[in-house]
Amino acid sequence: MPTSRPLVLAAAAWLLAIGAVPLLRLLAEALGGGAVAAGLADPAVWRATANSLRISLGAAALATAIGAGLAWALLLRGLAGRGVLLFFSVLPALVPAQVMALGWIQASGPASPLLLALGLAPPLGTPNPVYGAAGMTILLAVQSAPLVMLAIAALLRRVPGEAVLAARGLGATPEAALRRAIWPLLMPGLLAGAGLAYVAALGNFGVGALLGIPARITVLPVLIWQRLSAGGADALAQAAALAVLLALLAAPALAMQSLAARRAPVAGRQPFAAVPLARPAERGAFVLVLLYLFSVLAVPMLALLAASLVPARGMELSAETVTLRHFAAATAPGAHTAAAFANSLLLSLGAALLLALAALPIALVLRARAVRAASAATDLPYALPGACTGVAAILVVLSLPGGGAIYGTLGLILFAYLTRFQALALRPVAAAAARLDPSLDEAARGMGAGVLRRLFRVHLPPLAPALAAGGILVALTAVNEVTVSSLLYGPGTQTLGVLVFGLQESGNSPLASAVSCLALLLMAGLMALATLAARKLPAGTLPWRP
């Protein structure tokens, strides 16, 4: 491996600049003044903290139950058509949070065009049931359940298939073999998935804003956004203190994930194979999974489409009322939609490219102590809620000479994306680099090849699939991002998530629904391209192809 001192120093400097520096700046701002004391004396902070805790804990518990159920049906018992079912089961985590929230809003309440068309709308004046803590908890659980299922899927690759054979040989039924021999081995994955679900719910801005603000239930990411939007001399210090509080609330879940990772089973000689269900039970499980996916995914998306096709909010969808004028307005020259699409694509693809390129040399020198220590600083921004990264990015940029000129620009959002997603791009490359034969580098060095030549001629070709995998994961994640961009955007730098939120907040639900439908088309296109490339990517790269 290329372990020259300049390469090690460059890798460590990059990781420190986008990882450790923002976190340390955030901590210094939070503890440097009286923001902590002011926060402790502020009843609004305590209310937001209590709301965040009860909603996130409830969402994590429900997500764990749903994710375990999906894992049992699709991974352990291998239902018929599981490839398609896995794709749609993962989809709630990939659909932008604000789009899912808007779809749920349009699928319920007296103003739902879909319910009005079906004659199922409740009477006028009936509160929309998704507004409030219960609706937020359920939606966050639905969006986080795939994380639990995927954590179990990752661990299932290490579970020895011999365990089932041994249990069956002792006379256990298939279900008893899974319950007694396999589920105990999967408990670390279930534990890690529960932690992921909790952190994801804790840091979710889109659901908290669209479902919480109308019900006057404020969670910490929304409170941070409100404090920054209000401005004032102490706004940044208050936001930093709230971001640190959010990080402290996430810390137990991060520790739980670390503990779960250390308890992963040793891989067996024979991979685990799904245990088929008896025909009647298989049909029942298949119907239950379909009903779940239809209710949490198909109905909200159909309601979103219906809301985009009516002239105004609260109108029934019919042959007489259907219109495409909102799509026309969204795609008209000069509309904000085109700029938001361009910004989201530019930021997500730009971050994916830069982070994939940076991951190549970092992965090759990761064994160096300085690089290994610095890489830990990039794990935290990805693990912590996005609001922490957003506030930290603002503080770092404003600390630079002339940093005020960067504030509110795409450059600031891009820096925050680099900070937040470096760990996501590095993981597949680091795993692939650890399997490289060191003799290749030694041979090239013996022939007089320099560091850069060995980097691009010897190591890049075998690592290219892993680099592409990391870039694809970053692009798919960043294009949906709303928490960081909602804190950092300025005039002309709106992303798709921010645009949808702004349109809904201004009361223009049909146009917000039309933009959301276009965002879903963009997401579907990116997922289709990623699927086409899946054959050349490492196994398990795409979340819907575990």
Side-chain angles (χ1 to χ4, degrees), residues 87 90-98 143 147 150 344-353 355 382 417 420-421 424-425 467-482 496-497 519-534 537 540-545:
F87 173 81
V90 171
L91 208 52
L94 298 176
V95 174
Q98 64 281 0
Q143 286 215 288
L147 302 179
L150 292 173
S344 291
L345 281 173
L346 179 64
L347 289 168
S348 59
L349 297 179
L353 178 61
L355 292 177
Y382 179 64
Y417 282 8
R420 182 153 176 76
F421 299 124
L424 189 61
L467 290 168
I472 287 172
L473 290 175
V474 171
L476 290 175
T477 306
V479 78
N480 292 334
E481 201 284 325
V482 66
L496 274 173
L520 288 175
L521 287 177
L522 171 65
M523 191 66 198
L526 292 175
M527 291 173 67
L529 291 174
T531 302
L532 289 175
L537 299 179
T541 294
L542 301 182
W544 59 92
R545 293 172 64 95

Side-chain angles (χ1 to χ4, degrees), residues 164-466:
V164 174
L165 298 177
R168 293 299 306 277
L170 293 172
T173 64
E175 189 58 38
L178 291 176
R179 185 175 64 253
R180 297 178 181 179
I182 300 302
W183 274 113
L185 298 176
L186 294 178
M187 288 308 295
L190 194 67
L191 190 67
L196 286 170
Y198 168 75
V199 174
L202 185 68
N204 194 301
F205 172 81
V207 172
L210 288 178
L211 300 188
I213 290 177
R216 297 185 178 181
I217 296 179
T218 304
V219 291
L220 281 172
V222 174
L223 185 61
I224 292 172
W225 171 74
Q226 290 173 339
R227 294 291 168 88
L228 284 176
S229 300
D234 298 328
L236 270 177
Q238 292 176 14
L242 292 173
V244 170
L245 173 60
L246 201 58
L248 291 175
L249 295 180
L254 302 182
M256 188 166 67
Q257 293 175 52
S258 177
L259 176 65
R262 290 198 295 270
R263 294 189 175 183
V266 178
R269 296 180 181 178
Q270 182 177 341
F272 174 83
V275 181
L277 277 167
R279 182 67 63 181
E282 183 180 14
R283 289 174 181 170
F286 184 79
V287 169
L288 286 176
V289 173
L290 280 184
L291 286 175
Y292 167 76
L293 294 175
F294 182 78
S295 60
V296 304
L297 194 60
V299 171
M301 296 303 101
L302 288 173
L304 194 66
L305 179 61
S308 68
L309 295 175
V310 295
R313 182 175 181 272
M315 292 187 67
E316 177 184 340
L317 179 66
S318 66
E320 291 75 26
T321 60
V322 67
T323 177
L324 294 175
R325 72 182 192 188
H326 302 298
F327 285 99
T331 56
H336 293 297
T337 312
F341 266 84
N343 290 339
S344 291
L345 281 173
L346 179 64
L347 289 168
S348 59
L349 297 179
L353 178 61
L354 290 174
L355 292 177
L357 290 175
L360 175 61
I362 293 171
L364 293 172
V365 295
L366 199 54
R367 292 180 182 178
R369 184 179 301 177
V371 179
R372 190 167 62 250
S375 68
T378 61
D379 291 334
L380 273 178
Y382 179 64
L384 291 173
C388 301
T389 305
V391 177
I394 295 174
L395 292 169
V396 169
V397 166
L398 293 183
S399 300
L400 299 174
I406 306 175
Y407 185 79
T409 67
L410 291 177
L412 176 58
I413 303 177
L414 179 61
F415 172 70
Y417 282 8
L418 297 179
T419 296
R420 182 153 176 76
F421 299 124
Q422 176 66 84
L424 189 61
L426 181 58
R427 287 173 186 174
V429 190
R435 297 191 294 268
L436 288 179
D437 186 352
S439 63
L440 294 175
D441 185 74
E442 293 170 3
R445 184 185 304 176
M447 296 176 67
V451 173
L452 292 180
R453 189 172 185 182
R454 299 200 310 273
L455 193 65
F456 290 103
R457 298 291 295 273
V458 176
H459 300 295
L460 178 58
L463 293 180

